[in-house]
Amino acid sequence: MHEYSIVASLIDRVQQEAAAHEGARVHRLHVKIGELAGVELDLLKTAFDTFREKTICDGAELTIQSVEPAWACPSCERSVERGSVLRCESCGRPARMTRGDEIILERIEMEAPDV
Amino acid sequence: MCETCGCGDPEIVPIEVQERILSDNDAQAAHNRSHFENLGVLAINLMGSPGAGKTAVLEATAKRSGGRLKLGAVSGDLATERDADRLNASGIISATITTGSACHLDARLVHHALHHFPSSDRDVFFIENVGNLVCPAIYDLGQAANVVALSVTEGEDKPLKYPVMFQKADLVLLTKTDLIPHLDFDVTAVRDALSRVMPDAKMLEVSAKTGDGIDAWLSWLDARRPTAADRTTGQDHHHHHDHDHGHSHEQH
């Protein structure tokens, strides 16, 4: 249940941004979570709904963009499919994950003086 | 102010952040990493299910190295100090990080433990994570390498079921291999599963009971130990401190 600790970090981060921008109420958060980030999206939503109360995020919506993982050869950039052996078919190098493990706060929509 | 209707309500502004949510943990982990590098210590984050044999492998490592390597460990444990007691008895200077109900260690917990650790001259420092194949993988602790213990009784399909843990591993230790004759366990199948989740799949077969494979594991550790040159370079690195240690680094 590390989703609760992720939400705690998320709300801290939003509070910092709100202070920096003199923001008052947060309407929506946009986060991006890789399918292989190890975060269960339903648990994350539940944790957010529980923890947002009485914080700057009270009443805010959480929009989650899920990201499919992808791998590619670090030298020839040939893509390597999910579920296959994660090595380049042509040169045999270990593939590199290019996306799919991110846990990112992208954007906050908040009421703030126009900047 | 709202420009649409002039109602006087504050405008809703989009604030671009584009940052890792766990950036605080990342910063703390980077701090831990520079501690380890400056001290010339190889730090290993050892993860695996409860009962995978993490503590037993460390005991066997201490026994086999026979005092050649100075070993240290902190063990994440929900409620007891049993692992640290076992490790201390085996000659590994150890402390416990009691996590309560937390399912993983984070960089802050490890940092706190480092500051209270009784020794600063270790060659290899193991961070034995909480037994769990999911949560610990997400938190960088400042380690030089991630090692996952997977026991033969857990089955060959675990890498496919828990890809997040295995994709972050630098090495998998297949433990309890002395039990293979009693099981329908296919080592080829687990190697195949690993190659589909771990791009540079590396696995060593070990038995803490018989000592088989422990030499290869010790060689793997030796090959990763920082050299004297690394350590000098490490000391030249800018080491940012924005908190009060209450003591100097030399005392760690």
Side-chain angles (χ1 to χ4, degrees), chain B residues 97-145:
Chain B
I97 302 177
T98 310
T99 58
S101 58
C103 49
H104 60 273
L105 294 178
D106 63 28
R108 191 185 48 81
L109 287 169
V110 170
H111 182 254
H112 182 77
L114 287 176
H115 275 268
H116 293 87
F117 200 72
S119 170
S120 64
D121 68 339
R122 300 294 87 191
D123 297 317
V124 184
F125 191 82
F126 296 104
I127 305 162
E128 186 186 348
N129 221 308
V130 180
N132 182 328
L133 269 188
V134 183
C135 316
I138 299 166
Y139 295 84
D140 184 8
L141 305 177
Q143 71 281 353

Side-chain angles (χ1 to χ4, degrees), chain A residues 2 5-6 9 13 21 27 36-38 83-87 95 97 103-112, chain B residues 10-22 103-104 135 138-139 163-164 167 195-197 199-200:
Chain A
H2 50 283
S5 93
I6 290 171
S9 301
R13 193 74 185 79
H21 293 90
H27 284 244
L36 290 179
S84 66
V85 172
L86 297 177
R87 282 189 177 267
M97 186 183 253
I103 306 177
I104 291 182
L105 170 59
E106 294 200 280
R107 199 162 58 252
I108 308 168
E109 289 172 22
M110 67 170 103
E111 286 177 14
Chain B
E11 191 116 27
I12 297 173
V13 226
I15 312 280
E16 286 296 323
V17 183
Q18 303 294 348
E19 237 184 66
R20 273 176 53 80
I21 294 174
L22 298 175
C103 49
H104 60 273
C135 316
I138 299 166
Y139 295 84
V164 176
Q167 85 200 1
S195 71
R196 292 168 197 278
V197 295
D200 198 6

Side-chain angles (χ1 to χ4, degrees), chain B residues 120-210:
Chain B
S120 64
D121 68 339
R122 300 294 87 191
D123 297 317
V124 184
F125 191 82
F126 296 104
I127 305 162
E128 186 186 348
N129 221 308
V130 180
N132 182 328
L133 269 188
V134 183
C135 316
I138 299 166
Y139 295 84
D140 184 8
L141 305 177
Q143 71 281 353
N146 282 328
V147 176
V148 179
L150 170 68
S151 64
V152 294
T153 51
E154 291 170 72
E156 304 95 339
D157 59 349
K158 286 301 167 293
L160 299 175
K161 284 186 161 180
Y162 298 89
V164 176
M165 173 60 70
F166 290 92
Q167 85 200 1
K168 302 257 169 138
D170 296 290
L171 177 73
V172 172
L173 288 175
L174 185 68
T175 61
K176 310 188 190 183
T177 53
D178 53 289
L179 294 176
I180 290 179
H182 310 286
L183 303 166
D184 286 327
F185 186 86
D186 183 356
V187 176
T188 319
V190 78
R191 284 192 185 277
D192 178 73
L194 281 175
S195 71
R196 292 168 197 278
V197 295
M198 206 177 148
D200 198 6
K202 288 192 175 66
M203 183 178 92
L204 291 174
E205 299 169 36
V206 299
S207 164
K209 193 179 170 76
T210 64

Side-chain angles (χ1 to χ4, degrees), chain B residues 36 39-46 54-55 57-59 61-63 65 67-76 83-97 105 110 113-114 116-129 143 217-218 221 225 252:
Chain B
F36 290 127
L39 291 166
V41 182
L42 174 67
I44 301 289
N45 180 13
L46 180 59
K54 297 182 289 300
T55 312
V57 163
L58 295 185
E59 287 171 319
T61 308
K63 190 175 167 192
S65 92
R68 184 177 63 79
L69 287 174
K70 289 178 288 208
L71 304 175
V74 287
S75 302
D83 288 353
D85 291 346
R86 278 172 62 185
L87 294 176
N88 273 313
S90 75
I92 303 178
I93 297 180
S94 303
T96 302
I97 302 177
L105 294 178
V110 170
L114 287 176
H116 293 87
F117 200 72
S119 170
S120 64
D121 68 339
R122 300 294 87 191
D123 297 317
V124 184
F125 191 82
F126 296 104
I127 305 162
E128 186 186 348
N129 221 308
Q143 71 281 353
W217 157 235
L218 279 168
L221 289 171
R225 283 182 54 203
H252 276 246

